[in-house]
Amino acid sequence: MLSPATKITLSAALSAILLQTALPTQAKPQTPQQQAQTAIFYQKAKKELPKDWYVVYRVIDRIARANGLDNSPWRAIVIPEYNINAFATDVNLIAIYSGIIDQLAGDSSAIACVVGHEMAHHTKRHIAVGKAEKAALIAQIEKEAEAEVVAEKKDAESDANQNSFGGAVLGTLGNVLGGWGNTVSNVGQSSLSNASKQRKAEAQKRIQEIVTLKKAELEQRLAESDRRQEFEADEMGYQYIARAGFEPEGCLRLMEVFARTPSAEFDTTHPAVPKRIERLKELMAKYPPLTLAQEGKLKISASQPLTYDLSQDGNSLRINSRRGGSAADDIDRRFKQ
Ligand SMILES: [Zn+2]
């Protein structure tokens, strides 16, 4: 048991730590000198990073700072493939194809809309929970199908047992009646075993039908859940980019590009593009972009550009948290001895 005095000391120490971690977001707006340093920092990044990587870095840096999403590192990877797509995977990893960056050349707001949408998939936990939810759904449906299959099998087996019982009775009768009876018995047995085979085949067919139906139901439920998540990511992504000061119309321009891809007008794993455009317009009215931009501007001016490194697996760019990319340096800063 801690003594009251120890408790007070501990809680004082804890609030000191909390105060320390809260300080960066309460920092004052950048001085002109700091602004000049920021410009130099970005120029260096532009020289160091390949063109597409620089764009993605700048977009993530700005969205993260404007929305308070700079508490832990992000990872980004540009896949050199002409594909009009991007995806979120692993933990805080955004993968974007060079094809979509090329298709949106000159329009950083539209690219920001792609990135903001993928960041939202992470913050809304669609990646972490989505996989577990899908696995649980699949397990549940498999269990249901199995239970129904077992019931069907039992029916078929009991049919088969009744038939063999009937055959045995006829067989006994045949023995009692002698040669003529045997003929009756053989005919009866063969027609019963045919009926049994047919019932078994019918049961097998019904089982197959159940499994097909359940699979179709599962696919439909999964697609509905995917589409719900896509709308959520659009909604959150729009707010992210508007706070970061990008043009929200960038999202509409992105949708124009998506609208030219095959099956854009249909609901697939993604909602149909016209529905996404309609929702985006509703969002712009519900959350005015200027108000969001004001909120974000304060956060950006009170923070520093996020540093970047190659992630430890060497495959992606790590965009560091507001604490930087080196825990060793962080320890040195905190404890001089
Ligand atoms: Zn998505």
Side-chain angles (χ1 to χ4, degrees):
M1 239 345 238
L2 293 174
S3 73
T6 320
K7 271 187 188 167
I8 290 165
T9 323
L10 271 179
S11 81
L14 197 63
S15 31
I17 290 167
L18 290 176
L19 194 69
Q20 248 181 335
T21 50
L23 271 179
T25 50
Q26 291 165 359
K28 288 178 196 146
Q30 285 186 11
T31 61
Q33 199 190 354
Q34 281 172 324
Q35 282 173 2
Q37 279 172 351
T38 298
I40 292 169
F41 182 84
Y42 286 142
Q43 276 166 19
K44 188 174 153 269
K46 200 172 182 177
K47 272 188 205 148
E48 272 182 4
L49 297 171
K51 199 172 71 174
D52 289 348
W53 293 76
Y54 172 72
V55 172
V56 175
Y57 156 67
R58 283 296 305 270
V59 168
I60 293 181
D61 166 66
R62 206 159 170 93
I63 294 177
R65 286 163 64 201
N67 291 277
L69 300 174
D70 53 353
N71 207 25
S72 49
W74 288 91
R75 280 189 296 155
I77 182 164
V78 177
I79 305 170
E81 212 173 287
Y82 214 96
N83 194 335
I84 309 300
N85 215 342
F87 58 93
T89 183
D90 212 342
V91 177
N92 289 341
L93 177 64
I94 312 280
I96 180 161
Y97 289 98
S98 56
I100 196 167
I101 301 180
D102 185 70
Q103 195 62 55
L104 301 169
D107 191 349
S108 63
S109 295
I111 295 172
C113 192
V114 176
V115 174
H117 175 103
E118 301 307 334
M119 286 170 88
H121 275 313
H122 284 294
T123 57
K124 298 291 279 181
R125 305 195 68 230
H126 294 161
I127 314 302
V129 178
K131 273 188 188 167
E133 264 177 356
K134 278 178 193 171
L137 271 177
I138 290 168
Q140 184 197 331
I141 286 202
E142 276 175 351
K143 216 170 138 187
E144 282 172 15
E146 212 172 277
E148 292 198 36
V149 167
V150 167
E152 290 283 345
K153 267 190 180 163
K154 271 192 183 157
D155 272 2
E157 271 166 21
S158 89
D159 279 357
N161 286 341
Q162 275 174 14
N163 289 343
S164 57
F165 176 68
V169 169
L170 279 178
T172 314
L173 195 64
N175 287 339
V176 172
L177 293 174
W180 186 74
N182 270 339
T183 315
V184 172
S185 161
N186 288 341
V187 171
Q189 267 181 336
S190 118
S191 79
L192 275 174
S193 89
N194 279 344
S196 163
K197 271 183 198 159
Q198 201 181 337
R199 275 186 191 150
K200 271 187 186 170
E202 276 169 13
Q204 199 57 44
K205 207 177 137 203
R206 283 203 300 276
I207 290 165
Q208 206 47 52
E209 280 167 5
I210 292 166
V211 172
T212 310
L213 192 72
K214 295 261 174 214
K215 273 189 183 164
E217 278 172 10
L218 172 68
E219 270 161 27
Q220 200 185 340
R221 276 157 74 180
L222 290 179
E224 274 164 18
S225 133
D226 279 349
R227 289 197 287 269
R228 205 172 39 248
Q229 291 185 345
E230 290 310 316
F231 276 134
E232 276 179 4
D234 275 352
E235 178 167 354
M236 199 45 83
Y238 155 72
Q239 293 177 66
Y240 286 165
I241 72 151
R243 280 200 197 93
F246 290 103
E247 291 170 0
E249 291 79 13
C251 286
L252 298 177
R253 294 193 290 269
L254 170 67
M255 291 301 147
E256 271 176 42
V257 172
F258 283 152
R260 287 167 205 164
T261 58
S263 57
E265 67 274 39
F266 303 116
D267 281 344
T268 54
T269 53
H270 284 61
V273 172
K275 285 187 194 165
R276 292 177 76 182
I277 293 176
E278 203 180 299
R279 287 275 185 104
L280 278 167
K281 287 182 177 166
E282 284 168 15
L283 287 171
M284 287 178 197
K286 191 173 167 190
Y287 308 106
L290 279 178
T291 318
L292 294 173
Q294 281 301 325
E295 286 172 24
K297 206 174 172 186
L298 288 174
K299 284 197 167 143
I300 287 175
S301 66
S303 60
Q304 302 290 323
L306 300 175
T307 56
Y308 55 86
D309 287 299
L310 202 60
S311 60
Q312 256 190 21
D313 59 8
N315 290 328
S316 58
L317 187 72
R318 196 182 64 219
I319 294 132
N320 296 313
S321 74
R322 64 173 90 117
R323 279 169 290 278
S326 165
D329 288 349
D330 191 42
I331 289 179
D332 290 345
R333 266 195 306 272
R334 280 177 188 281
F335 311 107
K336 305 286 180 219
Q337 50 183 3

